Amino acid sequence: MLPPRPAPRPTDLRGLPCASRLESRAALAVTAIATAWFALAAAWEMFGPILAGHYASSAGVGIIAENMLRWKIAGPVWEYTASRPPPEMYYCHHPWGIFWTTAGFMKVFGRHDVICRLPAILLSAATPPLLHAIGRSVYRPAAGAAAAAAFVVLPITLSFANLNALEVPVMAWTLLGLWGYVRMTQTSRRRYLAVSALGLALGMNADWPAFVLTGGLLAFGAIRAYLLPKRVFGPIHERRYAQWWVLTAFIAALTAALYVALFHHAGKLGDLLASYGFRSSGNTEPLGKVLESRRYWIELSFTPVAIAAGKLGAVVCAARLALLRREHDALPLLYLATATVQYVVFRQGADIHIFWPHYFGAYFALAAAALVDTGAALLERAAAARRALRSAPSAALPAWPALAAPAWPPLAAPAWPALAALALWLAPLAVVLRDGLPALRYARETGGRFNERGHLIHSDGAKTAFLRWLAPRLPADAAVEMHEGMKATWAQVWALGGRVVRPNRPAPKQEPPRGAYLVDTRFMLDRDQASLARRFDITAVGPFWAIGAAGGADPPGARGIEAFSFREREPGLLAWYLVSGTEPEREIVPDPFLTWELRAHFGQPAEPPTEPPGTLEQMRIAHNIAVAAGDGARAAALLAEISAALRPLGARFDDGTELLGTTFHEGARSLLTIFVRAGGPAAHDVTLAVRSRVVERAPLSTTMADPVTREVGLPTAISPQRWRAGFLYADPVPIRKRPGTEVFWASMRARERGRAPRLVDGGGASEVEVLRLR
């Protein structure tokens, strides 16, 4: 036999729980601050170029939107084509809502980088107010403020707030649907029924987890309204509830049928099932071991404080649902179930995508509202008990009111319990934000990959600048082919302005391509570089080579190598915020020093520059020019000047290679440069490598130190197998610092099974510390 259902909360004329004006104003102030902060975080770098990593998927959405407009097709196609793509090319792993949305923005505003991010930025900015609205409607204003504040401090929500992919729109639209559901049950008004149906429909068109949430809500609604006695959850407006249920179920079925039909028409239903079979495969270990293997990613995304609070929130919500029997306490639990299905069932996706548990952010925010409301209720009851004790000191102690049968305070109840509960909640959120702030920058620097499980991370900042510089120099209808070392991404394809791009192509045999063949020499074998330099004219921009880009009447190979360099400078404050706070501003300029160096190393006639060197890099090449010319006095003078600008290392390897020293520039993109004096060509498989380890976690951080040893050094543009004795070489290493104290080590490493050079007088060691950052 169920105990009597607790009395409902007092409500105002709008059907909202009653609250004091002070609580309402304080809650609105907290929500406004949270919303402004989150919007600013999402809009950071909004006008900047899209770079590599998980963020490159936003460029992929832009490519799809442009194809939809260019070819007037409804289906998404990831790549540019020379003719109208057939349905067989449609991408059918996810619903198409985000692609249609981006196409609409592009139709109105045109093709710009910001369009690839703008839908996500706007939806992220709307999410904290939606969370406040749900918490305010279900519980009280302070609970709404707690939900908004909880969402905007999590590292994972901050890191992916501008990612125009799947999670951001799903959370925003489904939260709109849940708010409409709450207000519909409170007021029985049709407009809220429409809002709920619209939000859930848009969420289901964004990605499949919205179907899980909608299905859970429909199942709970059917049990609540039609299977359980009315005394369990109280009376409802049965006609309106039935209308909502039937309409939502119809929309869910219609949406699912639409995509089944579309995918069947494209012949991709089997591909869809295979992709999700693959996503749910992979890790066969018990769940506990799987979660332990992901421990650092989980802590980095949420922090131990938020994880503990989320676990407590699940217990509290379940207890409230069972004891208070208020149907809206099921909403956080339904979102928790949705996030759990996404994270646990599709193990392969969670093993390679750090953003896979993003949906737990929405659950955490909804649970925060329940926690603050529970805390406020306990403080109110404690205050009531204290007042009763003071008014009757000689009487027996009053019985503590049971949580299952609360006596709601009068309408004129003081605001301090709710504000105190909110303040108590904001304190641990400040601890979470301490880890959220560096995680935001870390995410932007790495393209949302964070430590990438130790693999080498490319930002593609310089590569994207090269592609944007190159694009207007190519014929409008020319295709671009790329060597596999370019490591093509959607961001690179987008940067070329809508051209057909063919990645992972072998080098041209005889004739230069009509468009361009692009190479990143850092990831191309030395013998293949030499073959290209012997047969074709080359435009080199830093380590990037373009063949066929310049055209001209000269026969192939007559012009040789013409080199340009990146001139970098720190962005100003406005550019730092709007364009790029994690990459320098770059200008591409002719570089006679680099031209000499490349021609000299690849056996082409090389004229020394006439102007004096102006940078440390040019001084390095000027030193090499002096060595090549046999001018020992000038070479020694330049070496002394260069050495004075370095932090000395003096590390010599037994193959004759010497690490002279380093420079370190701390800025938007920090850069460590290692200067090397070669003893001669290195063995065929030896390369200069740089790795880093975190040896201590950050001060005041609750997140564990990253346990992964990460590759951070890029291969040198001129292969060590082509180095010349006595020449100086520079290895620029972009530094994307991890939280905590990080130590960087350099070594000469054998990539295959050959013997790696060892340090002379190093006791058999092969690595030398080159940088330590706290």
Side-chain angles (χ1 to χ4, degrees):
M1 189 73 177
L2 287 173
R5 184 173 180 272
R9 291 178 184 267
T11 58
D12 59 20
L13 296 177
R14 299 168 295 171
L16 296 172
C18 290
S20 69
R21 181 176 298 180
L22 177 60
E23 180 186 348
S24 296
R25 289 180 174 178
L28 285 175
V30 171
T31 301
I33 294 171
T35 302
W37 153 244
F38 201 62
L40 288 171
W44 183 28
E45 302 182 315
M46 65 186 295
F47 293 103
I50 302 172
L51 304 181
H54 295 312
Y55 293 163
S57 63
S58 293
V61 176
I63 292 170
I64 286 174
E66 190 172 9
N67 278 329
M68 287 179 169
L69 298 176
R70 177 183 294 178
W71 302 112
K72 295 179 172 55
I73 56 177
V77 176
W78 282 117
E79 59 189 86
Y80 292 114
T81 57
S83 59
R84 181 186 176 91
E88 291 77 18
M89 294 185 68
Y90 291 172
Y91 176 71
C92 297
H93 290 183
H94 298 278
W96 297 350
I98 61 170
F99 311 127
W100 293 333
T101 301
T102 307
F105 274 81
M106 192 175 293
K107 179 69 174 178
V108 174
F109 298 107
R111 186 190 194 276
H112 306 286
D113 291 320
V114 68
I115 297 303
C116 298
R117 301 183 176 104
L118 190 57
I121 293 171
L122 295 176
L123 289 172
S124 287
T127 300
L130 284 170
L131 287 165
H132 170 266
I134 294 173
R136 168 62 178 113
S137 301
V138 173
Y139 303 111
R140 60 196 314 149
F151 189 78
V152 305
V153 300
L154 290 175
I156 193 169
T157 56
L158 287 169
S159 298
F160 297 99
N162 73 342
L163 181 60
N164 187 24
L166 306 171
E167 289 78 10
V168 168
V170 167
M171 286 189 292
W173 292 130
T174 55
L175 289 173
L176 176 66
L178 292 183
W179 175 72
Y181 168 80
V182 170
R183 296 298 288 139
M184 184 271 298
T185 58
Q186 290 173 335
T187 66
S188 302
R189 293 179 179 173
R190 289 191 182 91
R191 63 171 176 263
Y192 293 122
L193 184 154
V195 168
S196 177
L198 175 65
L200 294 175
L202 291 172
M204 287 184 283
N205 276 278
D207 200 18
W208 308 120
F211 282 89
V212 179
L213 179 65
T214 302
L217 188 62
L218 288 171
F220 174 79
I223 295 171
R224 179 256 186 274
Y226 307 117
L227 296 182
L228 294 178
K230 295 296 184 292
R231 67 178 182 273
V232 175
F233 288 110
I236 57 171
H237 191 297
E238 293 189 8
R239 179 178 177 80
R240 189 72 69 240
Y241 204 91
Q243 289 173 339
W244 168 84
W245 199 97
V246 171
L247 178 62
T248 303
F250 175 76
I251 290 174
L254 183 64
T255 305
L258 169 67
Y259 287 110
V260 168
L262 289 172
F263 295 174
H264 176 72
H265 175 69
K268 292 294 187 73
L269 271 180
D271 184 48
L272 172 68
L273 296 176
S275 72
Y276 279 92
F278 176 70
R279 290 292 191 206
S280 60
S281 66
N283 203 326
T284 58
E285 296 285 342
L287 181 60
K289 290 186 178 180
V290 172
L291 296 180
E292 181 60 30
S293 69
R294 301 175 189 164
R295 179 187 169 191
Y296 178 68
W297 274 13
I298 295 172
E299 287 196 10
L300 184 65
S301 298
F302 294 97
T303 79
V305 173
I307 293 169
K311 293 177 180 178
L312 176 62
V315 174
V316 168
C317 289
R320 291 177 63 104
L321 184 64
L323 299 176
L324 299 181
R325 283 177 279 145
R326 299 179 62 238
E327 60 186 300
H328 299 143
D329 283 317
L331 300 183
L333 299 175
L334 290 174
Y335 229 112
L336 175 62
T338 300
T340 302
V341 168
Q342 166 81 354
Y343 193 61
V344 173
V345 173
F346 300 104
R347 289 192 175 189
Q348 187 273 346
D351 283 336
I352 63 175
H353 296 105
I354 191 172
F355 58 81
W356 214 249
H358 200 170
Y359 294 113
F360 285 103
Y363 155 71
F364 178 69
L366 295 174
L371 287 172
V372 167
D373 182 65
T374 302
L378 292 175
L379 290 174
E380 287 168 349
R381 284 153 182 73
R386 200 161 48 246
R387 287 194 299 270
L389 182 62
R390 289 175 181 174
S391 63
S394 59
L397 291 177
W400 186 268
L403 181 63
W408 299 113
L411 298 187
W416 74 262
L419 296 182
L422 177 59
L424 290 172
W425 175 245
L426 294 179
L429 291 189
V431 178
V432 175
L433 184 60
R434 187 264 167 258
D435 284 324
L437 284 174
L440 171 59
R441 179 172 181 84
Y442 186 23
R444 294 297 174 89
E445 288 180 319
T446 62
R449 290 167 291 187
F450 295 93
N451 67 2
E452 194 71 348
R453 297 194 183 276
H455 299 300
L456 185 62
I457 292 176
H458 314 268
S459 76
D460 277 2
K463 189 182 296 182
T464 301
F466 159 67
L467 296 175
R468 289 175 179 269
W469 174 85
L470 180 68
R473 291 166 169 79
L474 300 175
D477 59 344
V480 175
E481 296 185 352
M482 293 184 177
H483 178 260
E484 62 182 354
M486 285 291 287
K487 304 183 184 297
T489 66
W490 289 312
Q492 293 179 35
V493 176
W494 172 262
L496 285 166
R499 303 173 185 277
V500 175
V501 176
R502 301 187 181 102
N504 304 325
R505 305 287 286 189
K509 298 297 183 184
Q510 299 295 332
E511 294 295 324
R514 180 173 177 271
Y517 182 73
L518 306 183
V519 168
D520 185 344
T521 57
R522 298 170 299 182
F523 300 97
M524 188 180 203
L525 293 176
D526 176 67
R527 64 173 182 268
D528 295 334
Q529 296 178 40
S531 176
L532 291 177
R534 185 173 57 252
R535 293 183 292 123
F536 299 108
D537 294 325
I538 292 172
T539 300
V541 180
F544 311 112
W545 288 7
I547 299 168
D554 295 331
R559 181 171 55 87
I561 300 174
E562 182 181 359
F564 297 76
S565 288
F566 295 102
R567 181 181 294 165
E568 298 181 348
R569 62 180 179 273
E570 289 298 311
L573 180 61
L574 195 61
W576 179 90
Y577 177 72
L578 292 176
V579 180
S580 179
T582 55
E583 291 286 336
E585 294 181 346
R586 292 182 174 92
E587 180 185 4
I588 295 176
V589 296
D591 190 341
F593 287 88
L594 182 58
T595 298
W596 179 92
E597 180 169 63
L598 291 175
R599 289 183 176 183
H601 278 81
F602 286 97
Q604 298 180 0
E607 290 292 329
T610 57
E611 67 264 28
T615 65
L616 197 61
E617 174 68 5
Q618 291 179 348
M619 290 172 60
R620 176 188 68 79
I621 298 176
H623 167 274
N624 295 345
I625 294 173
V627 171
D631 189 348
R634 176 161 174 76
L638 286 167
L639 177 60
E641 193 172 351
I642 292 170
S643 298
L646 305 180
R647 186 181 74 86
L649 291 175
R652 186 183 298 274
F653 292 88
D654 57 14
D655 68 343
T657 304
E658 181 183 1
L659 305 187
L660 289 179
T662 64
T663 63
F664 180 64
H665 170 76
E666 189 171 7
R669 185 271 347 257
S670 296
L671 186 70
L672 169 71
T673 305
I674 303 173
F675 283 76
V676 183
R677 179 158 56 186
H684 77 282
D685 64 342
V686 170
T687 184
L688 178 60
V690 182
R691 300 190 301 169
S692 75
R693 295 189 288 271
V694 177
V695 298
E696 184 180 359
R697 73 180 182 184
L700 304 180
S701 172
T702 60
T703 300
M704 65 182 290
D706 189 346
V708 170
T709 298
R710 193 178 76 182
E711 296 288 340
V712 296
L714 294 163
T716 53
I718 296 178
S719 169
Q721 287 70 54
R722 195 168 287 274
W723 286 357
R724 297 186 179 182
F727 273 31
L728 300 183
Y729 298 92
D731 182 19
V733 181
I735 300 299
R736 300 173 181 92
K737 184 183 175 300
R738 292 179 277 180
T741 300
E742 189 170 14
V743 182
F744 298 80
W745 302 79
S747 64
M748 299 299 294
R749 184 186 307 168
R751 287 177 294 189
E752 298 174 2
R753 295 184 178 181
R755 177 187 176 276
R758 297 283 176 176
L759 287 169
V760 176
D761 300 328
S766 61
E767 291 184 318
V768 58
E769 181 178 325
V770 292
L771 182 66
R772 182 179 291 257
L773 294 176
R774 290 179 173 82

